[in-house]
Amino acid sequence: MSPGPARGRTPGQDGGAGRRNPARRWQLVRAGADAVPPSTRRFMARARQRRMRAALPWAVTVAVLAVAGLVAWTVLGTGLFGVREVRVVGATLVTPVEVRDAAAVPDEAPLARVDLAATARRVGTLAPVERATVERDWPGTLVIRVVERTPVAAVPQGERWAVVDRAGVVFQTLDQAPAGLPLVRVGRPAPDDPGTRAGLDVLAALSPKLRAELVAVDVAGLARITLLLRDDRKVVWGDATRSPDKSKVATALLGRKADTIDVSAPDVVTFQ
C-alpha cells in the first residue's frame, strides 16, 4: 500500500517551488540621529542658517513696508488725524472767523495733506494781513499765525478815511480820522499810485520834530508836495527827491517866524 500525501500540508509548502517565491514586505525605517555623520549634520545646520540669514532682510523689509503703508493710509487717507481745530494767532484787525473762512480748510480734512503754503496765501488775501504762516499741531490742529499791516497814514476819501501801510496798501476804511496818524492827501491811494508812493516817501523822511508839527502831507502833484503844519504854517517840499536833506533844513528852520518855508531847493531856502 503506497503512502498517501502528508496531512496538513498545502501544495507549495515544501519543495523548492514554494521557497523560490517568498512574499516580500518593505518597511520605511527612520534613521536615528547617530546614523547621520557629524560633518553632514554641521553642513546641514550651516545651510539652514544661511537660508535664514538670506531671508531675514526680505522679511524685515516686507514688515517695514507694511507698517509704513498702514501708517500712511491712516494719516493721509482717513479722518483719524483730520483737522478738528483751526487756531488763529495774532489777528486783531480781522476776526478768527474771517481768517478761517479765507483759509478754506474743510473740517476733518487729513492734516498731513493740507497745503500749508497755499493756505497761507489765501489768508494773505485779506487786506489787513501783511503775511501769514500756517503749521500743523498734531494730532488735529492747524495753527495760522497772522502778521497784520502797520498803519502809517490816513488818506481822506470824501467823508471817510482810508488807512494805508508803508507800501500804500489800503487795509481799513474808517468813518472818523484815526487818532495819532498823519494825513496824506492824495487822489487815489494805492501801492501802484505814484502820488501815494511820493507822499509816503516824504513822510518816512521827516524828523521827529517835524512830524510833531505835521498835520498833513498834501500831494497836489509829483512836484507839488507841501507839508501842512500846525498854526497854519506850511513847508513847500516840491518833489520827493532829496527828502532827507529837505527834512534837515526844514527842521532847523522851524523856529523862524514864517508862515511858509520853501525847501524845494534845499540849498537855496526862501521864507514868506
Side-chain angles (χ1 to χ4, degrees), residues 210 213-215 227-235 254:
L210 201 53
E213 297 294 321
L214 181 69
V215 174
L227 304 186
L228 305 179
L229 307 181
R230 300 179 189 276
D231 299 326
D232 294 327
R233 303 175 72 192
K234 63 182 179 181
V235 178
L254 278 178

Side-chain angles (χ1 to χ4, degrees), residues 131-171:
R131 64 181 181 277
T133 57
V134 183
E135 59 189 28
R136 301 180 181 92
D137 186 7
W138 297 98
T141 302
L142 198 68
V143 181
I144 302 177
R145 301 186 185 278
V146 171
V147 176
E148 295 180 330
R149 299 184 186 277
T150 301
V152 298
V155 180
Q157 297 284 281
E159 296 182 354
R160 308 190 75 188
W161 284 262
V163 180
V164 299
D165 69 352
R166 62 181 181 273
V169 175
V170 177
F171 62 92

Side-chain angles (χ1 to χ4, degrees), residues 202 221-226 235-241 246 262-265:
V202 170
L222 293 181
R224 292 185 295 151
I225 300 174
T226 303
V235 178
V236 177
W237 205 267
D239 58 24
T241 61
K246 295 175 183 179
D262 190 339
V263 296
S264 56

